[in-house]
Amino acid sequence: MVQQIATALILGLVGGVIPGPVLTATFTEILQSSFYRSLRIVFLAMATETFVAFVSLIVLSSLGLSLSIFNALSFVGAGILIWIARQLWKIRSLDINERVHFSAGKIAAMILANGVLWTFWITVCVPKAIVFGEQIQYGEFLFLFFVEIGWLISTVAAAFVFSWFRNALSNPKVVPYMFRFFSIVFLYFALSMIYSSAVYFI
């Protein structure tokens, strides 16, 4: 039992610091406002990812859907990331009128349309959770809980460390380049999603 919980925590801890749209959006919000405002993105992302986890668990346990569905979903997710990247590229200062607003709907769409995330849950986390559920009652839900706890810990820690450098990164001369960098990161993940899904179907 301890080994299974440790595995869940490690999966979450690693997943939380892997560069991706959520971490990039969190860093962007830190630059635009503050570390505390960025926590809103973290918790909204966590709520959406938890939804993904439970849906993956229920669907995989009952229907056994093909990965083709989730790879096709990545094309939609890539479009969302490209849309956000275009907004970030236009930012020249930290003025409120130029800020990118990460609404709850935008964050949810960004995550729900991320086929890589669905694939990660379906191919890695959920199978391990199901095995744990066969060992103890409700073990599958306990496993997913600890994955999310690990993700939350590492994501918040990464955001906190990044916030230490906020003053230096908020320099008016630095801001345009910083947001262009974030824009390129979002574009990279979009192209990566398109490529991986295209390779799957080819």
Side-chain angles (χ1 to χ4, degrees):
M1 177 176 176
V2 175
Q3 182 180 358
Q4 295 286 1
I5 291 176
T7 299
L9 277 172
I10 291 171
L11 282 173
L13 287 169
V14 173
V17 294
I18 292 176
V22 172
L23 204 57
T24 305
T26 301
F27 289 170
T28 300
E29 189 65 15
I30 289 172
L31 287 179
Q32 292 185 142
S33 52
S34 66
F35 165 73
Y36 296 104
R37 288 291 298 273
S38 74
L39 293 180
R40 172 180 165 276
I41 292 177
V42 173
F43 285 109
L44 281 172
M46 181 180 179
T48 308
E49 286 207 20
T50 300
F51 171 77
V52 170
F54 279 103
V55 168
S56 300
L57 177 62
I58 294 170
V59 169
L60 194 63
S61 300
S62 58
L63 301 178
L65 292 179
S66 169
L67 287 178
S68 298
I69 295 175
F70 302 103
N71 278 282
L73 189 63
S74 282
F75 291 114
V76 178
I80 293 171
L81 294 184
I82 291 172
W83 172 51
I84 295 175
R86 288 185 61 189
Q87 291 183 293
L88 292 174
W89 187 268
K90 298 176 183 178
I91 294 178
R92 296 293 179 270
S93 70
L94 293 179
D95 293 337
I96 189 67
N97 292 331
E98 291 194 3
R99 293 183 178 179
V100 174
H101 178 61
F102 290 98
S103 64
K106 186 181 291 186
I107 295 169
M110 182 174 64
I111 294 173
L112 291 175
N114 186 348
V116 175
L117 173 66
W118 286 94
T119 302
F120 172 73
W121 279 106
I122 290 173
T123 61
V124 179
C125 296
V126 171
K128 290 181 178 296
I130 291 175
V131 170
F132 193 38
E134 294 174 352
Q135 297 175 0
I136 65 171
Q137 189 175 20
Y138 304 119
E140 61 271 39
F141 299 106
L142 186 63
F143 188 91
L144 297 182
F145 170 78
F146 279 104
V147 170
E148 289 298 332
I149 290 298
W151 180 91
L152 178 63
I153 291 172
S154 61
T155 302
V156 170
F160 183 71
V161 170
F162 184 83
S163 69
W164 287 351
F165 302 97
R166 183 178 185 274
N167 290 335
L169 297 175
S170 298
N171 186 304
K173 295 181 179 180
V174 176
V175 168
Y177 297 102
M178 181 60 61
F179 282 102
R180 284 179 181 178
F181 172 75
F182 286 146
S183 175
I184 292 171
V185 171
F186 270 93
L187 183 60
Y188 166 77
F189 287 116
L191 295 176
S192 177
M193 290 167 67
I194 292 172
Y195 175 77
S196 61
S197 293
V199 168
Y200 175 85
F201 286 112
I202 292 174

